[in-house]
C-alpha cells in the first residue's frame, strides 16, 4: 500500500477548519425490490432473484414499491423534514458493471423529503444539530466479486463475478447539509450522527440497519478551509464505510491527509476514496463526477409520487418514541447520570436492558449484568453485546436466582458462562454444575464446625468478643464450599457456636 503523508491531528486543526458532508444509504427491509416483485432475502443463489425489470431488459416496465414510499416518508418525518407534495424519479446515468440497466433509478432535484435536522448527543452530553439536506428514494446496485490479485479490488484481479440479486433493492439516501463548526470534534460528530441515525431507523422498523451486513453504509465527504475563510475547500468522498468506528477513523484520517497536502503546497483532488479497516487509512478510487456528469433526466416509465397530506399526517401520528427522547426518559426512570446512560448507549445495551426489565428483573440488576459480566465477555470476544448467545429472559432469570438467594454473584457468573457455552437455560446450568448456594443448616453447619476446628486462634478471638474476626472463618467456609455457602447464614452459625458463655 502506498505510504501517505500525514500531519498530526492537532497541527491540522491548528491551521484548518473541517467541513463534512455525510451521505448514508439505508437498505429498506421490504420483501420485494423497489421497482419489481423480486425477493430481497439474503443468501440466495447468485442471480436467482432477478427479472426483466431489475436486469433492465428492453420493454420491461417498473412499478414503485408502496412500502418503500411509506418507509421514505416515515424516515423523513422522523428527521424533521418537509415531505414533498409532489416528487418524481430520475435516471442517473453512468457506466458501472454492477448496474445492469446502465443507469440508476433515483431522485435528483425533487426528493421526497428535504430540509430537516437530527440532534445528536456527544459523549460529554453536548448536543450538536446536524442539518439534513434531503432524504430520497433510489435502488441499490448489484455486487461485484473480483477474483485474484492481492487487494480484492478490480485492479490486479484475474476476473470478476457479478451477482444482480441486490440490484433494485430499495434504498433511502440521507444527505446532510455541510457540517461546520464541529472543529476538532468533527470525527466524533460524524460517528454520533451515524449512531443516532441507526437507532432512529431501527426504532422506525424500516430496516435492521446492520452496518456489518451492508444494510447501512456511510460516505464521508470531507474538506478543509483555512481558519477565518468562508469558501469550502475541495472535498474527498470516502465510500461505503460500514461501522461507527470506521466513520470516525475515516474522517480523522482525511483531516490529517488533506492538511498534509495543503500545508505542502499541493492541491486536493476531488475523488472517491476507499477506507482500509486494518490501518484506518484511505486510498484513491476514481475522480468524482459532478451532478451534470450523471446526465440526470426524469424517469419516463414512472409516474410522479404525490403523498396525500392526510396520509402523511397519519404516519406522523404513528411515529414511535424517538431514540433520544426514549433515552432521556429511561435515564430519568433508572435514576442514572448522563455519563452512565452514554456508557449504556456506547455498549449497545439499551434494548437488552429494557427487555430484561420487562422480563421481570429490577432495573439495577438488568444494568449490572449487561454492563458488567456480559459487556466484559463481549469485549474479550470482540463482538457486539447483543450478539452474545444469551437472551434478556435468561439474564432476568439469573437476576431472580440471585435475588432469592439461590445464587451469589460468583455463582451467577458461572451460570451465565454455562448459558453462553450452550449448556441450556440458567436453571439447567445451575443444576448440572451444582451451583446452588448451600444454606441448609446441616451441610452448612458441618462446614462451619470444620472451619472453627481448623482455626482455633481465630475462634478464641471471637469467643473473647472480637466479632470482626468472624470474617476469616466465613472466608474459610466459602473456600471449603467452593463459594457456594450462604455467607450470611454461615456468619450467624459461627457467632452462635462461639458466643461467650454467660
Amino acid at each position: 500500500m502506498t505510504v501517505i503523508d500525514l500531519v498530526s491531528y492537532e497541527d491540522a486543526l491548528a491551521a484548518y477548519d473541517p467541513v463534512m458532508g455525510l451521505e448514508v444509504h439505508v437498505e429498506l427491509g421490504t420483501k420485494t425490490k423497489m421497482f419489481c416483485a423480486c425477493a430481497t432475502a439474503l443468501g440466495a443463489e447468485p442471480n436467482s432473484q432477478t427479472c426483466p425489470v431489475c436486469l433492465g431488459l428492453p420493454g420491461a416496465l417498473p412499478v414503485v414499491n408502496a412500502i418503500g414510499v411509506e418507509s421514505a416518508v416515515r424516515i423523513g418525518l422522523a428527521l424533521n423534514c418537509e415531505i414533498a407534495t409532489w416528487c418524481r424519479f430520475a435516471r442517473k446515468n453512468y457506466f458501472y458493471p454492477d448496474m445492469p440497466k446502465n443507469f440508476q433509478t433515483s431522485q435528483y432535484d425533487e426528493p421526497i423529503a428535504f430540509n430537516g435536522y437530527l440532534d445528536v448527543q456527544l459523549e460529554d452530553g453536548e448536543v450538536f444539530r446536524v442539518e439534513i439536506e434531503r432524504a430520497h428514494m433510489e435502488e441499490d446496485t448489484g455486487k461485484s466479486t473480483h477474483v485474484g490479485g492481492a487487494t480484492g479490488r478490480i485492479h490486479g484481479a484475474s476476473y470478476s463475478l457479478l451477482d444482480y440479486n441486490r440490484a433494485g433493492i430499495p434504498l433511502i439516501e440521507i444527505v446532510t447539509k455541510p457540517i461546520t463548526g464541529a472543529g476538532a470534534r468533527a470525527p466524533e460528530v460524524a460517528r454520533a450522527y451515524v449512531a443516532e441515525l441507526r437507532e432512529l431507523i431501527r426504532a422506525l422498523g424500516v430496516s435492521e440497519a446492520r452496518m456489518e451486513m451492508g444494510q447501512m453504509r456511510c460516505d464521508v465527504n470531507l474538506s478543509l478551509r483555512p481558519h477565518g475563510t468562508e469558501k469550502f475547500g475541495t472535498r474527498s468522498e470516502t465510500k461505503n464505510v460500514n461501522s461507527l468506528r470506521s466513520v470516525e477513523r475515516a474522517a480523522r484520517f482525511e483531516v490529517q491527509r488533506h492538511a498534509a497536502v495543503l500545508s505542502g503546497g499541493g492541491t486536493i483532488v476531488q475523488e472517491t476514496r476507499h477506507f482500509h479497516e486494518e490501518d484506518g487509512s484511505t486510498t484513491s478510487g476514481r475522480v468524482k463526477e459532478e451532478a451534470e456528469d450523471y446526465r440526470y433526466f426524469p424517469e419516463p416509465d414512472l409516474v410522479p409520487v404525490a403523498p396525500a397530506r392526510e396520509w402523511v399526517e397519519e404516519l406522523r401520528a404513528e411515529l414511535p418514541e424517538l431514540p433520544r427522547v426514549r433515552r432521556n426518559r429511561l435515564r430519568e426512570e433508572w435514576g442514572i447520570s448522563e455519563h452512565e446512560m452514554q456508557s449504556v448507549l456506547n455498549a449497545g445495551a439499551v434494548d437488552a436492558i429494557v427487555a430484561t426489565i420487562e422480563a421481570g428483573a429490577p432495573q439495577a440488576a438488568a444494568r449490572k449484568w449487561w454492563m458488567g459480566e456480559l459487556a466484559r465477555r463481549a469485549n474479550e470476544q470482540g463482538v457486539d453485546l447483543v450478539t452474545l448467545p444469551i437472551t434478556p429472559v435468561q439474564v432476568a432469570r439469573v437476576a431472580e436466582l440471585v435475588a432469592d438467594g439461590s445464587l451469589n454473584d460468583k455463582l451467577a457468573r458461572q451460570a451465565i458462562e454455562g448459558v453462553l457455552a450452550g449448556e441450556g437455560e440458567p436453571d439447567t446450568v445451575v443444576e448440572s454444575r451444582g451451583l446452588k448456594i448451600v444454606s441448609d443448616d446441616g451441610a452448612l453447619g458441618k462446614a462451619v464446625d470444620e472451619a472453627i476446628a481448623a482455626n482455633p486462634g481465630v475462634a478464641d478471638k471471637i469467643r473473647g468478643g472480637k466479632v470482626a474476626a468472624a470474617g476469616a472463618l466465613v472466608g474459610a467456609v466459602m473456600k471449603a464450599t467452593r463459594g457456594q455457602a450462604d455467607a450470611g447464614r454461615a456468619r450467624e452459625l459461627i457467632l452462635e457456636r462461639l458466643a461467650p458463655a454467660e
Side-chain angles (χ1 to χ4, degrees):
M1 189 178 294
T2 304
V3 176
I4 299 175
D5 290 331
L6 302 176
V7 301
S8 75
Y9 190 70
E10 293 72 21
D11 287 347
L13 270 296
Y16 302 100
D17 289 324
V19 177
M20 292 189 304
L22 302 173
E23 302 172 14
V24 175
H25 290 83
V26 177
E27 193 176 277
L28 297 179
T30 56
K31 293 181 180 179
T32 57
K33 293 184 181 181
M34 192 68 200
F35 303 110
C36 66
C38 289
T40 59
L42 294 172
E45 285 293 315
N47 297 305
S48 64
Q49 296 178 168
T50 58
C51 72
V53 174
C54 56
L55 290 177
L57 299 183
L61 292 176
V63 177
V64 176
N65 186 322
I67 300 299
V69 175
E70 180 179 315
S71 298
V73 174
R74 289 182 186 276
I75 290 172
L77 291 171
L79 291 172
N80 304 289
C81 289
E82 299 177 45
I83 304 301
T85 57
W86 188 94
C87 63
R88 57 183 172 179
F89 288 95
R91 291 188 180 186
K92 180 180 181 181
N93 296 274
Y94 63 99
F95 172 73
Y96 213 64
D98 53 14
M99 296 281 290
K101 297 184 296 187
N102 216 21
F103 65 85
Q104 181 187 36
T105 306
S106 181
Q107 290 189 303
Y108 175 45
D109 56 344
E110 297 165 306
I112 193 165
F114 54 94
N115 196 29
Y117 65 87
L118 182 63
D119 288 333
V120 301
Q121 187 167 320
L122 306 183
E123 288 202 17
D124 62 357
E126 179 185 344
V127 175
F128 193 97
R129 174 162 292 186
V130 176
E131 296 188 338
I132 307 296
E133 177 72 35
R134 56 194 281 141
H136 67 257
M137 300 177 285
E138 60 184 26
E139 60 181 340
D140 210 346
T141 62
K143 179 182 178 182
S144 300
T145 302
H146 306 297
V147 182
T151 66
R153 301 191 183 279
I154 194 168
H155 303 294
S158 303
Y159 60 92
S160 297
L161 301 174
L162 294 171
D163 178 8
Y164 291 127
N165 281 351
R166 199 176 68 187
I169 283 182
L171 291 180
I172 303 298
E173 182 175 358
I174 302 161
V175 182
T176 70
K177 294 181 180 180
I179 301 171
T180 61
R185 305 192 76 174
E188 183 186 351
V189 167
R191 176 178 181 146
Y193 166 75
V194 177
E196 187 72 13
L197 186 57
R198 183 179 66 176
E199 294 304 307
L200 182 147
I201 295 296
R202 289 174 174 173
L204 293 173
V206 298
S207 173
E208 293 181 356
R210 296 182 62 177
M211 297 185 75
E212 75 280 6
M213 294 178 63
Q215 294 173 340
M216 182 170 169
R217 314 186 288 273
C218 181
D219 298 341
V220 180
N221 291 269
L222 188 129
S223 66
L224 297 182
R225 57 182 177 183
H227 288 311
T229 63
E230 294 296 322
K231 185 180 178 181
F232 293 163
T234 302
R235 64 186 171 90
S236 61
E237 181 180 7
T238 305
K239 300 286 288 184
N240 296 325
V241 185
N242 65 354
S243 78
L244 300 181
R245 178 171 177 262
S246 296
V247 167
E248 184 172 10
R249 293 172 77 201
R252 188 180 181 93
F253 182 90
E254 283 297 281
V255 167
Q256 294 179 262
R257 184 184 70 85
H258 279 231
V261 172
L262 295 172
S263 299
T267 301
I268 299 295
V269 177
Q270 182 166 315
E271 62 183 352
T272 64
R273 296 185 66 84
H274 301 299
F275 179 75
H276 301 281
E277 195 76 49
E278 61 274 12
D279 62 1
S281 68
T282 70
T283 53
S284 181
R286 59 186 172 86
V287 174
K288 179 64 177 174
E289 296 90 346
E290 296 289 355
E292 56 266 25
D293 296 321
Y294 292 122
R295 294 179 290 113
Y296 283 101
F297 67 88
E299 169 56 69
D301 291 335
L302 288 169
V303 298
V305 176
R309 293 302 91 182
E310 297 81 3
W311 179 61
V312 171
E313 292 310 311
E314 287 174 8
L315 293 180
R316 189 192 305 276
E318 294 172 1
L319 287 178
E321 184 180 33
L322 298 182
R324 187 159 170 264
V325 175
R326 178 177 181 240
R327 288 197 303 272
N328 288 336
R329 174 179 59 79
L330 291 174
R331 181 179 58 78
E332 292 181 3
E333 289 178 1
W334 297 350
I336 61 177
S337 67
E338 289 272 10
H339 178 73
E340 289 172 312
M341 193 68 201
Q342 190 64 44
S343 297
V344 173
L345 177 64
N346 292 344
V350 175
D351 290 339
I353 292 172
V354 168
T356 304
I357 294 169
E358 290 174 348
Q363 61 88 6
R367 286 192 294 111
K368 168 186 171 180
W369 290 111
W370 283 107
M371 295 300 293
E373 179 67 11
L374 291 166
R376 180 183 68 79
R377 289 180 178 273
N379 288 336
E380 286 178 352
Q381 297 174 32
V383 299
D384 288 340
L385 184 63
V386 294
T387 64
L388 290 175
I390 189 168
T391 67
V393 171
Q394 290 170 329
V395 176
R397 179 55 181 158
V398 171
E400 184 181 5
L401 291 170
V402 173
D404 69 17
S406 298
L407 299 176
N408 56 29
D409 280 3
K410 179 181 178 181
L411 298 175
R413 287 192 289 272
Q414 293 180 50
I416 287 173
E417 178 183 65
V419 173
L420 293 173
E423 297 172 20
E425 295 296 315
D427 290 278
T428 304
V429 174
V430 168
E431 186 67 30
S432 63
R433 291 194 176 198
L435 298 179
K436 266 197 171 178
I437 281 179
V438 178
S439 56
D440 66 280
D441 286 359
L444 194 54
K446 180 181 177 183
V448 167
D449 291 338
E450 291 174 354
I452 290 172
N455 298 276
V458 176
D460 287 342
K461 288 181 181 179
I462 298 170
R463 291 190 185 98
K466 293 184 178 180
V467 177
L473 293 185
V474 172
V477 171
M478 298 301 291
K479 183 177 180 181
T481 60
R482 295 177 302 161
Q484 291 180 243
D486 182 332
R489 183 57 184 152
R491 179 182 176 82
E492 291 173 1
L493 292 175
I494 290 167
L495 296 179
E496 286 174 12
R497 283 162 165 70
L498 300 178
E502 294 185 4

